[in-house]
Amino acid sequence: MSLVATLESPLPAALPAGTDTALFVYGACGVPVEVSVDGMRHAAAWVRGRFWATVPVSAHAGEVEIAAVSGDAVAPLARIEVQAPPRPPSLGRPAPDGLIAICMATFEPDMALFRTQVESLRAQTDERWVCVVSDDASAPEHLARIRDVLADDPRFVLSRSPERLGFYRNFERALRLAPAEAELLALCDQDDRWHPEKLAVLRKAIGAAGLVYSDQRLVDAGGRVLRDTLWRGRRNNHTDLTSMLVANTITGAAMMLRREVAELALPFPDTPGLPFHDAWLAVLALAAGDVAYVDRPLYDYVQHRGAFFGSVTHGARPRRRRPSPRGSYFRGYVPRAVLAEVLLVRCASRLTPAKRTALRRFVRAERSPAAFLRLAARPLRVLAGRTETLGSESGLLPGLVWRRLARILRLDASLPDLLSFEQPRLRRWRARV
């Protein structure tokens, strides 16, 4: 019996040797199938000719073979090359103990804001740092302006990506550029303004934690303070793993992490949702160990129309989209479940029993009535002041209901538009100044 199956969502072309991860496999086939990883079969959902599954992968040598399987019939889907893991670059010169690598991602920045950001780095009271700048294929004229601002300062290393990656993969690239001598890594946006003591305070506060982050002020491009703390109207969280998975509370520019945490996070996972580097690093750091917090603003998060979330502070009403249960499932719940599956395999030896249970319970929510009801009850935590997610779990529930009805009612199971899911309560909170 011949079997015809095709992938409809890309898989990585390569994985570094020694990587434990999980992959979301989504494709088309006329009959129900299982997904095979190097001969090991895994159950897959199948609705109206579409199948999907999140499967664990251990990349050790040679290739990882992914296939669709039905009975004795096999349809190859992908061969993922296993490569030697890339080595971090070296500074090529003596480095001070405790060196911090500031990992900045750029793409055609507003030059006035970029210049202010660079000067705020140069003004840091802790001088044991270098800054690697990963540019996301800016046009030559923009790259020339970036070089002019960096000038001949040897603490800055500029590297242009040969192709456009998007901010998620560009921050991944920036972490890979951190020199081997750096023990600590700090993420940096192109358009913020760091307070002079930011690096010094974070270095002191990290203690035994794998990651530390601070509060922040929201300001406009001219420096006017819009909000003197991020946490007006929402509770901060750096201890509850499920809450972090549902609604991240740690922004990238606020964080400093240890090299071993950054290495554990690489490569960044592929999910069917809109990925955010800070959400992945935050949930990974909390799964793998402890996260510390500095309860004071250490930088100004500049809100402007060119920023990803910038328009929310300029009087623009958040645009409402028609709720989509299919979007809630494929672009809301599934991406978070994929991250949970990655954490279960990548952090297996580091997870506490409570954290392992939390991740498994989240993954089971689409199959287990008890796990579904537990997730459905979480928005009630708002009544007790537990506002870290602002009840955003409720946005995932229509997707889980859709998942239970999809095969029975033969619903459309194609991947919806990438922006078919949003968390409106978080968007309204961000817009509050």
Side-chain angles (χ1 to χ4, degrees), residues 245-260:
L245 196 61
V246 170
N248 176 43
T249 50
I250 305 179
T251 55
M255 68 173 62
M256 177 184 288
L257 59 156
R258 297 190 181 279
R259 170 170 289 280
E260 55 265 31

Side-chain angles (χ1 to χ4, degrees), residues 78 90 117 138 148-149 166 181 188 196 206 222 267 284 287 293 300 310 312 318 328 332 358 362 411 413 419:
S90 173
Q117 174 68 298
S138 292
D148 287 344
V149 172
E181 294 85 353
C188 182
I206 195 168
L284 180 282
Y293 175 63
D300 291 346
V312 300
S328 173
F362 189 88
L411 301 176
L419 300 179

Side-chain angles (χ1 to χ4, degrees), residues 208-357:
L211 182 149
V212 62
Y213 69 110
S214 73
D215 197 358
Q216 61 205 260
R217 296 192 308 180
L218 273 65
V219 305
D220 65 16
R224 181 173 64 94
V225 177
L226 303 171
R227 192 190 301 177
D228 57 5
T229 174
L230 182 65
W231 302 116
R232 186 180 302 165
R234 183 185 176 194
R235 177 176 172 171
N236 185 21
N237 164 59
H238 57 91
T239 58
D240 189 303
L241 186 56
T242 302
S243 291
M244 190 74 76
L245 196 61
V246 170
N248 176 43
T249 50
I250 305 179
T251 55
M255 68 173 62
M256 177 184 288
L257 59 156
R258 297 190 181 279
R259 170 170 289 280
E260 55 265 31
V261 174
E263 291 176 346
L264 189 62
L266 298 172
F268 284 9
D270 289 298
T271 79
L274 183 63
F276 290 89
H277 59 285
D278 47 10
W280 165 237
L281 291 170
V283 75
L284 180 282
L286 184 53
D290 294 325
V291 171
Y293 175 63
V294 175
D295 191 18
R296 57 181 279 205
L298 292 179
Y299 78 104
D300 291 346
Y301 181 17
V302 180
Q303 304 293 291
H304 61 101
R305 294 191 185 280
F308 192 85
F309 290 124
S311 63
V312 300
T313 61
H314 288 81
R317 293 174 65 90
R319 185 166 65 89
R320 291 185 178 183
R321 294 186 177 92
R322 180 177 297 177
S324 165
R326 182 163 51 99
S328 173
Y329 177 72
F330 280 116
R331 305 303 192 183
Y333 169 77
V334 171
R336 289 161 174 79
V338 171
L339 294 187
E341 296 270 26
V342 175
L343 294 172
L344 284 167
V345 295
R346 202 174 288 187
C347 302
S349 63
R350 301 169 181 244
L351 289 169
T352 64
K355 291 177 180 179
R356 183 176 290 106
T357 296

